[in-house]
Amino acid sequence: MYEQVKLSYGFEELEPYIDTLTMQTHYGKHHATYTKTLNELAEKAGVADIPIEDLLSDLSIVKDPALRNAIKNNGGGFYNHNLYFSIISPNPAAAPSGILKEKIDSTFDSADELKAKLKAAALGQFGSGWAWLNVDKAGNLSISQSPNQDNPFSEGLAVKPILAIDVWEHAYYLKYKNLRADYVDAFFKILDWKEVEKNYELVTG
Ligand code: MN
């Protein structure tokens, strides 16, 4: 059973950066539906006991092409939003610290430079998709972007995402309309670097 991440904050607590109605719809409808559908499809395909990261990394275990594609889309929707909703907070750590900060500084010069590059990836994703900060097993950081509900696992990259920016219009359109850049700026105001750091340390030990 794949479970939607529990929020550590209320839908209204991310105001004014993310509005309450967007949170209600995004978490309560979109993410909930991806999760429900994934569970149904995974059950049908007999793969419901496989951890989601492993499943998305090798979908060849699902023989039926239509079922495989639906699991990629809904499994991505499930996983991607679990990461996204877990790294934003009404009381975020405003900057990275510790080993992650050192790695960011040595890779991108500064957290501001990293944010500029992530923003460029978020704005450069044509149509719906995601921007990512990833880490490989050696602790190296990289930025990537994905269309739809794809992610570094389903794309076969040997990295794990530790920071996700959702750039589907459903993530921002009610408040920001066509202004994706304003939404990305607002996202950084509620990005909790403490959670990103935890994700980094989970991979690098
Ligand atoms: Mn979304």
Side-chain angles (χ1 to χ4, degrees), residues 19 22 24 56-57 85 89 114 127 133-134 152 155 194 205:
D19 60 288
T22 291
Q24 287 169 342
L56 291 172
S57 296
F85 286 122
S89 163
L114 165 60
L133 177 64
N134 306 308
E155 290 167 338
K194 190 53 75 184

Side-chain angles (χ1 to χ4, degrees), residues 26 30-31 34 77 81 84-85 130 149 166-168 170-171:
H26 198 184
H30 291 280
H31 190 196
Y34 287 127
H81 289 93
Y84 174 80
F85 286 122
W130 295 80
Q149 296 296 356
D166 188 346
V167 295
W168 281 59
H170 69 223

Side-chain angles (χ1 to χ4, degrees), residues 17-18 115-116 118-125 127 131 165-169 171-173 175-190:
Y17 304 110
I18 296 183
K115 284 195 272 187
L118 279 169
K119 185 176 177 181
L123 299 184
Q125 173 53 45
I165 310 177
D166 188 346
V167 295
W168 281 59
E169 286 184 344
Y172 62 89
Y173 204 84
K175 182 178 173 77
Y176 296 96
K177 302 297 185 288
N178 58 315
L179 303 178
R180 186 186 284 187
D182 289 2
Y183 155 71
V184 174
D185 290 340
F187 170 86
F188 284 126
K189 302 271 194 202
I190 51 170

Side-chain angles (χ1 to χ4, degrees), residues 34-54:
Y34 287 127
T35 306
K36 181 172 181 288
T37 307
L38 169 64
N39 277 303
E40 291 165 1
L41 295 168
E43 197 64 45
K44 193 174 167 191
V47 296
D49 57 335
I50 300 177
I52 191 64
E53 297 172 17
D54 298 342

Side-chain angles (χ1 to χ4, degrees), residues 132-158:
W132 312 101
L133 177 64
N134 306 308
V135 60
D136 69 12
K137 283 207 170 74
N140 299 307
L141 297 171
S142 60
I143 290 170
S144 66
Q145 61 194 69
S146 305
N148 306 313
Q149 296 296 356
D150 294 356
N151 62 33
F153 300 117
S154 62
E155 290 167 338
L157 305 179

Side-chain angles (χ1 to χ4, degrees), residues 41-111:
L41 295 168
E43 197 64 45
K44 193 174 167 191
V47 296
D49 57 335
I50 300 177
I52 191 64
E53 297 172 17
D54 298 342
L55 182 57
L56 291 172
S57 296
D58 186 9
L59 281 161
S60 66
I61 189 172
V62 182
K63 297 303 173 203
D64 178 72
L67 191 54
R68 183 164 64 234
N69 197 48
I71 288 177
K72 181 176 81 151
N73 289 334
N74 287 279
F78 161 73
Y79 175 88
N80 299 349
H81 289 93
N82 264 12
L83 178 57
Y84 174 80
F85 286 122
S86 67
I87 56 162
I88 51 179
S89 163
N91 304 299
S97 62
I99 294 175
L100 178 60
K101 179 191 170 355
E102 286 171 24
K103 198 72 193 177
I104 287 171
D105 288 349
S106 65
T107 309
F108 302 99
D109 287 338
S110 68

